[in-house]
Amino acid sequence: MYDLDSFMAEVERKNPAQPEFIQAAREVVASVIDTVNSNPLYLKNKILDRIIEPDRIITFKVEWEDDNHELQVNRGYRVQYNNALGPYKGGLRFHANVTLGTLKFLGFEQIFKNSLTTLPMGGGKGGSDFSPKGKSDQEIMRFCRAFMTELQKYIGPDTDVPAGDLGVGGREIGYLYGQYKKIRDENTGVLTGKGWGWGGSLVRPEATGFGTMYFASEMLKEHGDSFEGKRIAISGFGNVAWGAVTKASQLGAKVVTISGPDGYVLDEEGINTPEKIAYMLELRASNNDIVAPYAEKFGAKFVKGRKPWEVKVDMAFPCALQNELTGEDAEMLIKNGVKYVVETSNMGCCPEAIEAFQKARIPFAPGKAANAGGVAVSGLEMSQNAQHYNWSSEEVDQKLHGIMKNIHNACVKEGRCADGYIDYVKGANIAGFKKVADAMCQQGY
Ligand code: GLU
């Protein structure tokens, strides 16, 4: 039998100075421990001891030259966490605060997220402490080439298939894929998020944001509610936030905020015209990591150095970084009457925030369920690559919609409490975990 505290004490001892990984691990283990303890097969197979340990961790040196011909050294990583369900699958994050602990937390979450999609994908994550902020396009290309020169030794279309994450979008995937091809001379589905016309899937750029809104719309339906007239706060302004804003306005909601490290924009008229939405893409492409220019351009309010969770809204969608919504932010949202919270960033909410929402019986969806649309369409990109064929955007969008609906149903099935409240965190963890655990038992050690 497993005991949560003694199991986690051992995990902490083995993984010092990795607080984000410990946070993610504790949440999953707490959700599934009763399921494990009541299943003799899981106990005999020591499933928790095995699932918590990554299959392998690869680190490598990335040397590149900046525009002043000065040599730069960064660290690259790939965490190949678990391949019980399929090839390792998960994004690459380029961000100054990336550490091994960050990528272990993301890789661990990815196992269960990918399982929830029902597509045959294992879990992995990678990246670098390289910051794209303020870099020229040429510098980004040189970094990507140097990074892939090392990474290509460890990946392949049936082994490990990276994609984008923070700081890695279509441009970076292009440079990474170009270098892979140069070295290996192969056109395969080794990366997803590729460009349209050279192996990319339609709807992949929008998929995370669209998927989160499809999930939210199921959540609303479950509670006899709809998007019509809802006021929404979104954080971030990158690829995920862009997709979320686009779909929310199509579904009849009004998004009033986006944010960056510099503060947040409050646009009372709604971020809903094609011009405003397209401008978000320009902001990201500028490599400046600021959102203030939006306010200037469209005459909206800019609130410097603060987060959007102080605005009165019906729904909140954190779409930026881990732990971006704290316990205090949650209290503020609850005080202002928030009705639903849909975590769209990976582990966007601190444990205290989740606890506060759940205590107030506000439906709260965790990122591993709500943001699974991105990796789901990556899985569909792999299917199209394997067939050497492309599906229409309607076909992909319809499949994405179906996947998000199924994920919602799986969360409800495993997460309904005695009082009728749906604990989406527990539901997502149990549903995602069971498939991986069963596969591990069936495949032996
Ligand atoms: N980085 C995304 C995620 O967190 C997408 C990963 C992928 O497409 O492989 O799920």
Side-chain angles (χ1 to χ4, degrees):
M1 292 288 254
Y2 285 104
D3 168 71
L4 176 63
D5 287 330
S6 45
F7 181 77
M8 284 310 301
E10 183 59 10
V11 175
E12 282 186 44
R13 191 191 63 77
K14 274 193 173 170
N15 302 278
Q18 295 181 355
E20 291 158 333
F21 170 63
I22 301 298
Q23 181 185 337
R26 177 171 274 278
E27 186 205 280
V28 172
V29 176
S31 291
V32 304
I33 200 154
D34 290 344
T35 308
V36 173
N37 281 337
S38 60
N39 185 323
L41 202 60
Y42 290 172
L43 288 174
K44 180 169 164 259
N45 278 280
K46 293 239 167 142
I47 218 70
L48 281 186
D49 298 77
R50 289 168 59 206
I51 217 163
I52 208 83
E53 196 64 24
D55 290 351
R56 72 191 62 75
I57 294 170
I58 299 146
T59 69
F60 47 89
K61 182 170 61 166
V62 187
E63 298 177 333
W64 59 284
E65 208 175 287
D66 68 17
D67 286 346
N68 300 321
H69 301 293
E70 198 181 314
L71 210 99
Q72 301 288 342
V73 182
N74 286 95
R75 186 173 293 174
Y77 304 89
R78 187 71 182 163
V79 179
Q80 298 183 331
Y81 221 114
N82 184 300
N83 66 355
L85 299 183
Y88 303 106
K89 181 82 196 87
L92 298 171
R93 176 173 290 195
F94 292 169
H95 194 279
N97 71 9
V98 161
T99 61
L100 177 58
T102 321
L103 298 176
K104 275 179 66 188
F105 117 65
L106 289 163
F108 187 67
E109 290 278 291
Q110 200 81 42
I111 305 171
F112 309 105
K113 181 194 311 196
N114 293 2
S115 162
L116 284 169
T117 67
T118 69
L119 300 173
M121 300 183 289
K125 202 86 184 190
S128 174
D129 57 357
F130 168 78
S131 170
K133 189 176 166 181
K135 302 288 190 301
S136 71
D137 201 69
Q138 288 299 301
E139 288 175 323
I140 287 179
M141 185 179 79
R142 285 197 292 274
F143 175 79
C144 287
R145 293 176 62 152
F147 183 88
M148 183 50 93
T149 303
E150 283 302 313
L151 183 70
Q152 57 88 21
K153 297 171 188 166
Y154 313 105
I155 60 175
D158 295 312
T159 319
D160 183 354
V161 183
D165 194 80
L166 279 183
V168 179
R171 171 183 53 183
E172 291 76 15
I173 292 291
Y175 295 147
L176 291 163
Y177 190 68
Q179 183 70 353
Y180 182 86
K181 244 174 0 128
K182 196 146 278 181
I183 299 172
R184 305 279 288 256
D185 213 5
E186 288 168 2
N187 272 283
T188 62
V190 70
L191 295 177
T192 60
K194 299 185 291 300
W196 174 239
W198 46 273
S201 174
L202 289 168
V203 191
R204 178 62 189 89
E206 302 90 331
T208 310
F210 278 26
T212 210
M213 290 300 160
Y214 293 151
F215 187 95
S217 117
E218 293 303 312
M219 243 174 131
L220 287 159
K221 256 192 250 160
E222 180 71 33
H223 294 84
D225 207 344
S226 84
F227 266 120
E228 211 45 58
K230 291 275 182 303
R231 248 172 90 85
I232 292 184
I234 280 181
S235 63
F237 68 98
N239 178 265
V240 173
W242 164 75
V245 169
T246 309
K247 188 48 87 181
S249 61
Q250 283 173 13
L251 294 173
K254 189 183 193 184
V255 179
V256 290
T257 70
I258 49 172
S259 71
D262 53 333
Y264 74 90
V265 168
L266 175 60
D267 186 346
E268 284 293 352
E269 313 224 302
I271 305 169
N272 46 18
T273 63
E275 205 195 350
K276 288 177 175 178
I277 294 173
Y279 188 66
M280 288 175 71
L281 293 179
E282 270 181 55
L283 278 180
R284 196 229 166 220
S286 73
N287 297 346
N288 288 329
D289 212 14
I290 51 169
V291 83
Y294 176 102
E296 270 159 55
K297 189 168 166 71
F298 298 106
K301 190 171 160 190
F302 176 65
V303 185
K304 198 175 163 201
R306 299 193 65 90
K307 293 187 279 183
W309 316 127
E310 59 190 24
V311 177
K312 189 172 162 49
V313 288
D314 303 304
M315 303 179 84
F317 288 77
C319 292
L321 268 177
Q322 64 270 18
N323 291 326
E324 56 173 307
L325 198 156
T326 64
E328 257 173 54
D329 297 326
E331 295 301 344
M332 183 62 116
L333 280 165
I334 296 168
K335 204 179 102 211
N336 283 332
V338 76
K339 296 187 186 77
Y340 305 89
V341 181
V342 184
E343 191 182 59
T344 308
S345 37
N346 289 310
M347 207 166 77
C349 295
C350 296
E352 303 75 35
I354 300 177
E355 211 183 305
F357 294 133
Q358 293 188 329
K359 214 170 123 210
R361 287 316 205 211
I362 289 164
F364 168 81
K368 67 168 77 66
N371 76 23
V375 74
V377 175
S378 275
L380 301 178
E381 183 172 327
M382 288 165 72
S383 310
Q384 293 169 78
N385 292 163
Q387 294 176 63
H388 302 279
Y389 192 66
N390 298 314
W391 296 331
S392 68
S393 55
E394 290 75 23
E395 276 173 285
V396 178
D397 194 40
Q398 200 186 13
K399 287 187 169 68
L400 168 64
H401 210 143
I403 290 170
M404 297 315 293
K405 215 172 159 164
N406 287 340
I407 296 178
H408 180 267
N409 292 345
C411 293
V412 172
K413 185 167 166 247
E414 300 285 356
R416 193 176 302 274
C417 305
D419 66 353
Y421 177 73
I422 300 160
D423 183 341
Y424 283 92
V425 175
K426 195 169 170 189
N429 286 334
I430 295 179
F433 173 85
K434 273 185 173 171
K435 265 183 64 198
V436 183
D438 290 343
M440 288 171 75
C441 293
Q442 286 156 17
Q443 292 168 19
Y445 63 88

